[in-house]
Amino acid sequence: MTDTVRRRPAPGAGDRRQDEIRYQTVLELSRQGADAVPQLLVALGDGSWRVRRAAATALAAQPASTSLLAALTARLAVADNPGMRSAAAEVLLGIGDVAVAALAAGLASADVDFRKVVVEVLGGIGTKAAVAALLRDIDDQDDNVRSAVVEALGRAGGGETIELLRARLRVGGVDLLQRVYLLDALGRLGARLPWAELSPWVEQAPLARALLPLLGASGDRRAAAVLIEYLERGATVSRQIAVVSFAALIDSLGAAERAAVVAEMVARPGRLPAVLKLLQSNDDKVVAAAARIAALFDDPGAAPKILEACAQGTTADAGLRAVLSLGPKVVAPLLAAIDAVDIEARVLFLEAVEILGDAGVVPTLLELAAGPETRATETAVRVVGSLGGVESIEALLGLAKSGDKEIRQAAVMALVAIGGRHLEIVAERLRRLVAGGEVLPGWITALGALGRDRDRELVIGAVHHGDPDVRQAAIEAALAYGRDFPEEILAFSLSDEQPRVRSSAARALAAFPTSSAARALFAATKDPDDFVVAEALRGLGRSSTPEAVGALREGALSSSSPIAIAAIHSLVRLNPPGLASVAARAVQHADPEVAHEAVELALRMSASEASEFLTGCLSHRFWVVRSAAAEALLTRRIRVPAARLEECLQREPEAMIRTALQRLLLVSEAGA
Amino acid sequence: MTLGTGRAVSMTDEEFRLIRDLICDYCGIYFTESFKFLIERRLQPRLPVFGFVGFRDYYRLIKYGRDRELEFDEIVERVTTNETYFFREAYQLNALMDEVLPLVKEGGRSGRRLRIWSAGCSTGEEPYSVAMMLEDASAARGLAFDIFGNDISRKVLRTARAGVYTQASFRATSKEMLARHFVADGRTYRLADRIRNQVSFGHLNLVDGSALALLAPVDVILCRNVMIYFDPASRQRLIETFHRKLRPGGFLLLGHAESLINESTAFELWPLKNDMVYRKPEGSAPGPTP
């Protein structure tokens, strides 16, 4: 084994043990309050990332005293321990605005590296006070610090900063690097500069990457020629920026100018390959813009490339919009290329064909429906439903009997879609099949969805079929007929030996507002199957008899989650008195989803009850409950004392909930 | 089946997180927030199938539903990239034939069948590529092989077992191999039964320890571009499983962008002419890995 390379020797068990001991010590220190701060500051420079991280978390939770802020800021100057420097920066960023004064004091230091780190942290904090501190240092003696200030302002500045940066761009004597940072910062701040301020720099290639976004935002058609030039002949990154900027430019122009700029772009069809090449970018923004610009060339042959490139990322909709803008002429090239692309692209191709195609493509779609991958074939079948006519019926009937469940479902849905346009023909065909003894669940589902009165008896008859799938399909079809379906047949089906048939029967019975249906549903709440009970309780949400309410109260406290959720849902609907006590108990359920549902009950409580209940929920152990409670407080415009919200905000680890709490704080402050 | 409307429904951040975590619990595949759009887009078509108007109901279906396993199958097929093709990363398959096989052959008892496992085989192109290449590999002469592929998606396994492929699966296949092993059938190509019968497929969730316990020791594991989807804890468990399932001296082949750096020290990194693979050291005891 001499030629074996062990890539990473295992760390000594002793090292790992020592790391763990220090980590546990920091966790212990984090529980000791302000007295532990000196030791935590030492731990900030530990060799182990885990220990530093734990120390940073603990320090961020300490009150931001002047001495702590000064100590943290001082650690930004320690160049020989980058781990400590990063950890201190992380704590200061977490503390935010309160740390600005201490950081700003650091800008007076003679240490250039230190000033640069301070500037970066101020940029990260990004509050008004931080921006003001940065603006004060914009004339820093050191080139690198000045550039860092401009870059930080690009992340944090506002309108006032834009004006200041513009003014600096106009003055002479600014070196090239500074100018790059100025243009870049202005671009990131979303500045819209007039052509006159940008045109002096278009000949300077090193400025291109920073300048192009500003040209795109300029709203001036003269910028188009520069963007086209870079798009065609620039380096890869410049071309990527140019295409995004060109897309932004055409969005900002009026109709006539946009048409002129587009004409300028497509005047040379040879530019299309350059744009298509950008579809290979890893940046979704570039891909989306390239898809849009490629479509401007009105070449249907580009459609498969556009959709293939857009199929994987977040750009599917952008790709689809671009291709749809080319119109029906893309259908043939898309279908010609479909076998050569992967499954996601194939699905996207078919979505485009569904919107742009016509009945002429149905034979090709039916060929694709016989293909090997289920999802693309399912989509092909669905598109047959959208585009096909009566000539597709037999093929779909064949597919609805195929071995694959998803294809069978898709074929039934397609038959129903065609039935929407040719009701009598599709329904009659299905009726003949059922009457001839071919009683398949799909036929019954489709007949129910088509909903002809004359087929009702046929569907009712299927409730007694020997195949439970058919019985279930018939009962679910009953939902389409509503109260025209015999209630007693559904009630009888609550005794079916198959739980899923009984579940469907309970769901269908919910449509009947009769006392007999309520009695049947009440009886079904004793079913041994949880899902049947849940459906019955859901159905009882329309019945306010004391028995029903009693069953719902009991169900809301069930240990079975589906039962508890259904019962709470129905209680919200019925709104009987005394919901607060049910909510208080249900919110303690072991399953977060049940506890979350219990928060919904607050919608029916009085303002004072809801306020007490929801405010309590802000400290719940499940994040879904805290999140729902914060949203419910916002929805009901209940004001929570600011001190309580501040307390929750300090403890809340979830960003999503912190945002809701901050909105609540605004409501609270507005009220005060 | 319910026939609902096909309106586009958006997924809230909370719904994304709940569904994402449930998927991760089920199969170890983890999606960061940046995948929300993709998850929303690919699961949206499932809502009308159940008559749902929002993703919360869908979440409850996959959390509590009677047929939740079946729906997870559907989800996994939709949210993972099943993109694969014959002879993908051919340099690695060549290394398997020319360098790994002779080593495995040398270490094995004479007369024993060599076992090759394609873990996360998707629609079967990888194990079939191995079967086709073994026909020509000189190191394979006189040896008997068991090749098997597994995937968590029953749908992709159906395609794998059928052995019928579209043009997209042949982007790295020579005309000669295509002609030797496939028969054109309309828009598709059917794999010769001779090759198809050499590969067995099975449904297996790679994070399901009890199902994996049934798997006998193997000589070579191919798990290429699968672990990248897993959360760190599931990845760790999977690596430990691979270590347990490999015979001492057996090889683990990962995708070109994957490695065990910071994941495990239980394997040796084994340099080949054009590739790096991992080997379970000779003399390693079966059982839990260090």
Side-chain angles (χ1 to χ4, degrees), chain A residues 51-116:
Chain A
V51 177
R52 290 199 304 274
R53 180 103 186 89
T57 307
L59 284 167
Q62 293 295 327
S65 64
T66 313
S67 58
L68 174 60
L69 293 172
L72 288 167
T73 306
R75 274 155 179 77
L76 299 180
V78 182
D80 60 356
N81 188 343
M84 180 166 74
R85 194 182 245 192
S86 302
E90 193 185 317
V91 181
L92 288 162
L93 282 167
I95 292 171
D97 200 49
V98 180
V100 168
L103 285 161
L107 290 174
S109 164
D111 180 345
V112 171
D113 282 346
F114 173 48
R115 291 209 304 277
K116 192 162 174 283

Side-chain angles (χ1 to χ4, degrees), chain A residues 645-660:
Chain A
L645 290 171
E646 297 275 14
E647 189 190 316
C648 292
L649 260 169
Q650 274 200 342
R651 279 201 314 255
E652 182 55 61
E654 301 292 341
M656 196 193 316
I657 303 171
R658 289 176 64 87
T659 307

Side-chain angles (χ1 to χ4, degrees), chain A residues 255-311:
Chain A
E257 286 197 309
R258 187 186 307 144
V261 167
V262 169
E264 197 176 339
M265 166 65 91
V266 303
R268 268 197 349 103
R271 288 182 183 130
L272 178 58
V275 178
L276 291 176
K277 213 169 164 189
L278 293 171
L279 291 169
Q280 305 309 316
S281 166
N282 290 324
D283 183 340
D284 281 357
K285 259 197 319 201
V286 175
V287 176
R292 230 179 114 200
I293 305 305
L296 298 177
F297 288 83
D298 202 31
D299 178 351
K305 292 191 183 79
I306 294 172
L307 283 190
E308 190 180 2
C310 293

Side-chain angles (χ1 to χ4, degrees), chain A residues 142-154:
Chain A
D142 182 79
D143 287 350
N144 286 326
V145 178
R146 275 206 309 281
S147 299
V149 169
V150 173
E151 196 186 357
L153 285 170

Side-chain angles (χ1 to χ4, degrees), chain A residues 1 3-10 311-317 320 335 338-344 346 348 351 364 367-368 371-375 378 404-406 409 412-413 416 445 449 476 499-500 503 529 531-532 561-562 565 591-594 596-597 623-624 627-628 654 656, chain B residues 1-4 13-15 17-18 21 34 37-38 41-42 45-46 48-49 56 59-60 63-67 70 74 77-83 123 125 155-156 158-159 164-169 171 187-188 260-271 276 278-279 281-282:
Chain A
M1 208 58 60
D3 54 348
T4 298
V5 178
R6 275 196 186 270
R7 183 63 184 263
R8 179 180 180 260
Q312 295 298 342
T314 60
T315 50
D317 285 348
L320 205 51
L335 289 177
I338 201 165
D339 287 333
V341 297
D342 68 32
I343 185 164
E344 297 310 331
R346 217 169 297 164
L348 207 52
E351 285 181 16
T364 310
E367 277 179 33
L368 291 169
E373 291 108 351
T374 316
R375 191 143 53 88
E378 260 175 67
D404 188 301
K405 182 184 160 211
E406 287 77 23
Q409 284 180 347
V412 170
M413 289 171 96
V416 173
T445 300
E476 284 177 0
R500 59 202 161 90
S503 291
D529 184 89
F531 296 101
V532 178
S561 299
I565 289 170
D591 180 347
E593 195 58 14
V594 177
H596 168 273
E597 191 69 18
W623 70 268
V624 280
S627 172
E654 301 292 341
M656 196 193 316
Chain B
M1 175 178 48
T2 307
L3 300 171
D13 291 344
E14 185 173 313
E15 288 162 350
R17 209 171 133 177
L18 291 167
D21 290 350
S34 61
F37 175 86
L38 183 141
R41 194 169 202 289
R42 293 195 185 168
R46 297 305 292 163
V49 171
R56 193 90 195 190
Y59 165 68
R60 288 175 179 174
K63 187 165 184 195
Y64 309 115
R66 209 189 288 277
D67 297 325
L70 289 176
E74 184 69 39
E77 201 271 334
R78 283 171 183 269
V79 300
T80 52
T81 303
N82 290 306
E83 190 206 8
T123 38
E125 284 90 333
K155 277 189 171 189
V156 296
R158 274 204 295 269
T159 306
V164 177
Y165 296 93
T166 60
Q167 207 185 317
S169 294
R171 67 192 83 168
R187 304 177 77 101
T188 57
L260 298 185
I261 294 175
N262 297 330
E263 304 273 10
S264 171
T265 53
F267 290 88
E268 298 166 339
L269 186 66
W270 192 276
M276 293 280 198
Y278 291 93
R279 189 183 205 203
E282 296 275 10

Side-chain angles (χ1 to χ4, degrees), chain A residues 304 330-339 349-350 353 361 364-365 368, chain B residues 187:
Chain A
V330 300
V331 170
L334 286 176
L335 289 177
I338 201 165
D339 287 333
F349 279 27
L350 288 166
V353 169
V361 302
T364 310
L365 293 171
L368 291 169
Chain B
R187 304 177 77 101

Side-chain angles (χ1 to χ4, degrees), chain A residues 292-555:
Chain A
R292 230 179 114 200
I293 305 305
L296 298 177
F297 288 83
D298 202 31
D299 178 351
K305 292 191 183 79
I306 294 172
L307 283 190
E308 190 180 2
C310 293
Q312 295 298 342
T314 60
T315 50
D317 285 348
L320 205 51
R321 269 198 304 275
V323 165
L324 294 181
S325 73
L326 294 169
K329 57 181 177 287
V330 300
V331 170
L334 286 176
L335 289 177
I338 201 165
D339 287 333
V341 297
D342 68 32
I343 185 164
E344 297 310 331
R346 217 169 297 164
V347 170
L348 207 52
F349 279 27
L350 288 166
E351 285 181 16
V353 169
E354 183 172 21
I355 296 167
L356 297 172
D358 56 30
V361 302
V362 168
T364 310
L365 293 171
L366 288 171
E367 277 179 33
L368 291 169
E373 291 108 351
T374 316
R375 191 143 53 88
T377 53
E378 260 175 67
T379 312
V381 174
R382 191 190 74 212
V383 181
V384 170
S386 299
L387 303 177
V390 291
E391 70 288 347
S392 314
I393 294 173
E394 293 308 316
L396 288 172
L397 289 172
L399 288 166
K401 291 193 272 186
S402 74
D404 188 301
K405 182 184 160 211
E406 287 77 23
I407 299 292
R408 290 203 303 270
Q409 284 180 347
V412 170
M413 289 171 96
L415 278 167
V416 173
I418 293 174
R421 302 188 292 275
H422 306 281
L423 175 64
E424 290 304 317
I425 297 171
V426 175
E428 273 311 304
R429 182 72 182 97
L430 290 167
R431 190 182 169 82
R432 276 208 313 278
L433 285 169
V434 175
E438 189 179 295
V439 189
L440 298 183
W443 303 165
I444 301 299
T445 300
L447 280 172
L450 293 171
R452 289 196 314 180
D453 282 346
R454 59 180 299 219
D455 299 323
R456 192 171 55 238
E457 290 306 315
L458 213 58
V459 175
I460 291 170
V463 173
H464 309 295
H465 199 271
D467 178 350
D469 287 341
V470 173
R471 294 203 297 277
Q472 187 180 7
I475 290 167
E476 284 177 0
L479 292 166
Y481 289 108
R483 293 177 213 159
D484 290 340
F485 208 85
E487 180 193 316
E488 62 280 7
I489 289 182
L490 296 174
F492 184 74
S493 294
L494 286 174
S495 60
D496 196 287
E497 68 274 26
Q498 289 290 337
R500 59 202 161 90
V501 177
R502 301 202 298 275
S503 291
S504 296
R507 191 159 54 244
L509 262 179
F512 293 83
T514 60
S515 55
S516 51
R519 276 198 305 277
L521 287 170
F522 181 71
T525 62
K526 313 294 179 202
D527 195 284
D529 184 89
D530 282 2
F531 296 101
V532 178
V533 176
E535 288 298 348
L537 290 171
R538 212 175 283 279
L540 285 176
R542 292 164 197 263
S543 169
S544 53
T545 63
E547 294 81 16
V549 173
L552 292 173
R553 283 180 190 281
E554 192 184 324

